[in-house]
Amino acid sequence: MSAANNSQQPIRFAYWVPNVSGGLVISNIPQRTGWDIGYNRKLAQIAERAGFDYALTQIRFTAGYGADNQHESVSFSQALLDSTEKLKVIAALLPGPWNPTLAAKQIATISHLSDARIAVNIVSGWFRGEFKAIGEPWLDHEERYLRSEEFIRCLRGIWTEPSFTFAGDFYRYRDYSLKPKPLDPLPEIFQGGSSRAARDMAARVSDWYFTNGNSVEGIRRQVDDLQTKARANRHRVKVGVNGFVIARDTEQEAQAVLQEIIDHANPEAVQGFGHEVKNAGAASPEGEGNWAKSSFEDLVQYNDGFKTNLIGTPQQIAERIIALKDAGVDLMLLAFLHFQEEVEFFGREVIPLVRELERRRAAA
């Protein structure tokens, strides 16, 4: 879907579910965000009322970089679905620990339990130490994306074909029939990554492509590359971009909060995280990937969310979101410092401004 094609559709909003401890920044700044189920049930209800469309649960198996505790993504997603009525929840799945058989069965069941409000995010993996700790083989960069592509092809085949047969390098099926299949609409399939291999995979098989935060021009270049490849494959894919929101009454207040987060950063954890993720990206043929050009300050937020520059007044943030939409973005995946209060503020003060700007453009 090109920027021109998505211009008539309202941009959608998702938030990172804080189902791991430490929030979404590698900083010792005091936070009111909780990782427990009680906090997250209330947050999901706040987000639903605020106008958010999706919530994305995280998958982590081991402690590190401030995330000392982690709830498992699929079961946590089901708990949030039980607490809401309209919100769609995206469960992160990591090929290796999961295989398509288990994932297809889990998600099909949750589709029935939630009136088709479950989706999946296929995470190809960046944390080599995590794979080593749980006894999973660490594949090279290209192989991780090849496995993820097979995983997605298998999920979709199991969910749609009466009898599924597949012979790949990582997965094999012979006349496999899953019953019951998920409800319609089928679970949407998201995937992340900023490398060439990630975009190539999304252009072939994914419904949604998530990328790290970046400038408008940086995002535009990625979207143009992705959509050119998708059109050549006769495939349609939508785009989501990560952003960390600091919305305050004045730009000075917002920038002061950003500086406080960075000033309280945990240097050892930030540097360790940077080393791990840059090694993962360096293994790609082009030597780049997520976080390839991230500074220390960028890495304080896990997914380069500061780069998207959603930091300022509600009006400034709304205008920057529209600029990203013009670059071809269909969804904003957002993180906050104090989630409950700031998601509510975002829904009250920012989303209406975005909708008004969209209406003005439609009428022009």
Side-chain angles (χ1 to χ4, degrees):
M1 182 178 288
S2 67
N5 289 336
N6 83 344
S7 62
Q8 300 305 313
Q9 298 297 319
I11 196 164
R12 303 184 199 183
F13 295 99
Y15 74 92
W16 283 96
V17 174
N19 59 301
V20 304
S21 61
L24 270 292
V25 289
I26 310 175
S27 175
N28 296 323
I29 187 173
Q31 298 185 58
R32 296 189 292 274
T33 293
W35 57 276
D36 60 282
I37 187 57
Y39 182 94
N40 274 283
R41 286 185 192 275
K42 183 177 179 182
L43 173 58
Q45 292 163 353
I46 290 170
E48 186 172 68
R49 291 194 299 270
F52 279 72
D53 305 277
Y54 297 91
L56 172 64
T57 56
Q58 305 173 63
I59 184 59
R60 288 286 293 275
F61 284 96
T62 61
Y65 316 119
D68 293 332
N69 298 282
Q70 319 90 30
H71 286 300
E72 187 275 320
S73 56
V74 175
S75 48
F76 210 81
S77 296
Q78 178 58 42
L80 299 183
L81 288 163
D82 286 344
S83 305
T84 53
E85 297 177 355
K86 298 181 295 181
L87 189 72
K88 291 185 178 181
V89 182
I90 310 164
L93 302 175
L94 182 60
W98 270 275
N99 62 48
T101 311
L102 172 62
K105 192 75 170 176
Q106 282 180 306
I107 301 304
T109 295
I110 296 174
S111 173
H112 283 262
L113 298 177
S114 67
D115 194 24
R117 290 190 290 126
I118 187 70
V120 296
N121 181 41
I122 307 306
V123 181
S124 295
W126 56 264
F127 191 0
R128 183 174 184 172
E130 183 173 58
F131 275 69
K132 181 179 179 181
I134 62 175
E136 284 288 337
W138 178 249
L139 305 179
D140 71 25
H141 185 273
E142 297 294 290
E143 287 181 315
R144 293 199 299 277
Y145 280 100
L146 289 172
R147 177 170 67 178
S148 292
E149 181 167 339
E150 284 193 11
F151 194 102
I152 291 171
R153 291 186 185 278
C154 290
L155 278 184
R156 190 168 282 121
I158 291 168
W159 286 338
T160 59
E161 296 182 20
S163 180
F164 179 61
T165 295
F166 183 85
D169 292 326
F170 299 94
Y171 306 110
R172 290 178 178 267
Y173 290 88
R174 180 177 297 171
D175 299 328
Y176 176 53
S177 179
L178 174 72
K179 295 180 181 178
K181 298 191 182 302
L183 297 176
D184 287 327
L186 289 177
E188 294 172 290
I189 297 176
F190 294 72
Q191 66 140 113
S194 296
S195 67
R196 188 267 314 152
R199 290 193 296 276
D200 288 355
M201 182 178 102
R204 289 189 292 263
V205 296
S206 302
D207 298 315
W208 286 87
Y209 168 71
F210 275 143
T211 189
N212 273 8
N214 207 331
S215 67
V216 172
E217 282 311 307
I219 295 298
R220 190 187 305 277
R221 286 192 295 271
Q222 289 186 48
V223 170
D224 288 347
D225 178 62
L226 170 72
Q227 299 297 5
T228 297
K229 291 171 177 174
R231 285 191 293 272
N233 295 330
R234 300 180 181 276
H235 182 65
R236 293 177 65 84
V237 59
K238 296 185 283 290
V239 177
V241 171
N242 187 70
F244 192 91
V245 176
I246 305 176
R248 298 294 187 270
D249 291 333
T250 69
E251 185 176 11
Q252 291 77 13
E253 288 177 87
Q255 289 294 332
V257 173
L258 172 62
Q259 192 59 52
E260 188 180 7
I261 293 171
I262 293 170
D263 288 345
H264 285 81
N266 181 331
E268 184 178 331
V270 173
Q271 289 163 4
F273 173 71
H275 175 76
E276 193 77 38
V277 296
K278 290 185 179 186
N279 275 351
S284 64
E286 66 273 26
E288 290 192 12
N290 282 348
W291 308 282
K293 298 176 182 176
S294 302
S295 67
F296 176 92
E297 290 77 12
D298 296 327
L299 291 165
V300 173
Q301 205 285 314
Y302 286 111
N303 296 285
D304 279 342
F306 298 153
K307 285 185 178 180
T308 314
N309 196 26
L310 303 183
I311 299 164
T313 66
Q315 184 68 36
Q316 288 173 321
I317 292 169
E319 290 171 358
R320 289 165 189 164
I321 288 170
I322 293 299
L324 286 162
K325 182 181 180 182
D326 289 343
V329 173
D330 302 278
L331 179 147
M332 297 302 307
L333 172 59
L334 304 177
F336 303 84
L337 184 61
H338 309 300
F339 267 81
Q340 288 183 357
E341 303 96 306
E342 296 192 39
V343 164
E344 185 173 35
F345 183 84
F346 188 88
R348 186 176 68 249
E349 301 295 336
V350 180
I351 292 180
L353 294 175
V354 172
R355 299 300 179 225
E356 177 59 28
L357 290 171
E358 288 176 326
R359 283 193 291 271
R360 289 181 191 174
R361 294 209 164 195

